Amino acid sequence: MTVQAKTRPSPAHEAQKFFFELGMVQRTKVGARLAELGLSFSQAHALRILDPDEPMPMSALAERLFCDASNVTGIADRLEVRGLVRRQSLEGDRRVKALTITPSGMKLREQVMELMSQPPDAIAALSEADQRALRDILARAAAHLRPAD
Amino acid sequence: MTVQAKTRPSPAHEAQKFFFELGMVQRTKVGARLAELGLSFSQAHALRILDPDEPMPMSALAERLFCDASNVTGIADRLEVRGLVRRQSLEGDRRVKALTITPSGMKLREQVMELMSQPPDAIAALSEADQRALRDILARAAAHLRPAD
DNA sequence: GTAGTTATTTGACAACCTCAAGCATTTGGG
DNA sequence: CCCAAATGCTTGAGGTTGTCAAATAACTAC
């Protein structure tokens, strides 16, 4: 139990506190708006990830959702029942089922994109300069994301 | 279907994309670490919110968790079964039950705090200058949070 | 063609979450 | 004082998310 090691929290540590708080609030708000559309957060996120032009295998979706493949079955089921998505066996490999967005799914997807790409009020309220700086810094951080795979 | 209206996304809109992505990745990572401690995300978050020195009424916790009071019953149950938390009827008003963290709950809480206050790798990898700027900007944003209530 | 791999599904189980209803306690008006 | 309304928590029903292990179907390689 040395006394050191907590000598100085890095600025990143301090930033994390705000980052987390903003994230929680935003998630709650967005969740409420999504509920009005009859969508859960996961369903909306899935809809967002799906490429309107390219059918996506369920396993690929599972990877993007950071969850088990068996979980995607249920999510796809519920989206499919509502006619937002269709399962389509891949020609060439009939094991894999790719998901396609239906026209009505596309309409809902638009709204979801609009909704979820909206920044938290607290961030929208920042000055232009702050917003730009924030965007640039987060862009640099996100760039660190891919190589880290 | 006019063409305008999407003329120029604000920097905040662009920032949101990275913000969301970083948040998702972090949530997944933290979730995995928490699972090793036998805690769900909600349980950990609750443990974090509870004040070690001051018993907190369950309704207050519900508010901080942005969820229904009936939901807190279950979360508190599971924490209490593991001896991390105790229900304590408030003297003066026996309706309200306040949650206290037990010593063993405190030990776990320390680890949770440590774990969840750790910034995403992508942010920790930023330059000192970027980290500082990020912290300051997010602090300004978070300040906008409280008055907005 | 047979054995092993791969993609999805199913079933069992647990947590989270909401809503409506119920219970105990407290508060306020007659 | 007493009863009605309000408050804080719990319970029960019902739905979504999530995991794991086992089952199924289809592909691949020897």
Side-chain angles (χ1 to χ4, degrees):
Chain A
M1 307 303 179
T2 58
V3 185
Q4 66 183 45
K6 70 162 43 179
T7 32
R8 211 164 22 110
S10 77
H13 265 72
E14 305 179 67
Q16 169 61 11
K17 201 182 129 212
F18 303 120
F19 193 88
F20 184 84
E21 189 175 358
L22 286 169
M24 280 309 275
V25 171
Q26 181 67 356
R27 198 191 187 82
T28 314
K29 254 181 207 167
V30 168
R33 302 283 306 271
L34 289 174
E36 294 169 12
L37 299 180
L39 288 174
S40 72
F41 188 87
S42 296
Q43 288 167 12
H45 191 32
L47 217 48
R48 241 162 73 97
I49 288 173
L50 289 175
D51 186 332
D53 301 320
E54 188 100 15
M56 177 179 261
M58 301 183 59
S59 52
L61 181 55
E63 205 165 320
R64 292 291 308 277
L65 289 174
F66 301 110
C67 75
D68 197 272
S70 69
N71 194 18
V72 173
T73 298
I75 293 175
D77 280 349
R78 288 179 279 272
L79 291 176
E80 198 175 26
V81 163
R82 288 183 52 190
L84 304 173
V85 134
R86 232 190 334 266
R87 276 171 169 90
Q88 192 179 339
S89 278
L90 210 67
E91 43 193 325
D93 190 341
R94 288 190 320 253
R95 284 173 304 178
V96 14
K97 289 178 191 153
L99 298 180
T100 326
I101 306 192
T102 65
S104 93
M106 273 305 296
K107 244 183 292 184
L108 204 48
R109 182 176 189 270
E110 294 293 325
Q111 298 180 62
V112 169
M113 292 297 271
E114 166 72 20
L115 222 159
M116 296 183 79
S117 61
Q118 211 124 32
D121 296 342
I123 284 183
L126 290 171
S127 71
E128 274 274 317
D130 271 353
Q131 291 187 20
R132 256 193 296 277
L134 179 62
R135 172 199 56 190
D136 294 341
I137 294 173
L138 290 183
R140 280 195 282 279
H144 285 303
L145 217 55
R146 300 293 174 183
D149 278 16
Chain B
M1 311 305 174
T2 57
V3 185
Q4 64 182 46
K6 69 164 43 181
T7 33
R8 208 162 27 108
S10 77
H13 265 72
E14 306 179 65
Q16 170 60 12
K17 201 181 129 215
F18 303 120
F19 193 87
F20 184 83
E21 190 175 358
L22 287 168
M24 281 306 275
V25 171
Q26 183 66 356
R27 199 188 186 81
T28 314
K29 254 181 208 168
V30 168
R33 302 284 305 271
L34 288 174
E36 295 169 11
L37 299 181
L39 289 173
S40 72
F41 189 86
S42 296
Q43 288 167 14
H45 191 32
L47 218 47
R48 241 163 72 96
I49 287 174
L50 289 176
D51 186 333
D53 301 319
E54 189 102 13
M56 177 179 261
M58 300 185 59
S59 52
L61 182 54
E63 205 165 318
R64 291 291 307 276
L65 289 175
F66 302 109
C67 75
D68 198 272
S70 68
N71 194 17
V72 174
T73 298
I75 293 175
D77 279 350
R78 289 179 278 272
L79 290 176
E80 198 174 27
V81 162
R82 288 183 52 190
L84 303 174
V85 133
R86 233 191 332 265
R87 276 173 170 89
Q88 193 179 337
S89 278
L90 210 66
E91 41 192 326
D93 190 340
R94 289 192 318 256
R95 285 173 304 179
V96 16
K97 289 179 193 153
L99 298 179
T100 326
I101 306 191
T102 65
S104 92
M106 273 305 297
K107 246 184 290 185
L108 205 47
R109 182 173 188 270
E110 294 293 323
Q111 298 180 62
V112 168
M113 292 297 271
E114 166 73 20
L115 222 159
M116 296 184 79
S117 60
Q118 211 123 33
D121 295 343
I123 284 183
L126 290 170
S127 71
E128 274 272 318
D130 271 354
Q131 291 187 21
R132 257 192 296 274
L134 179 62
R135 172 199 54 190
D136 293 342
I137 294 173
L138 289 183
R140 279 195 283 279
H144 283 302
L145 216 55
R146 301 291 173 182
D149 275 17

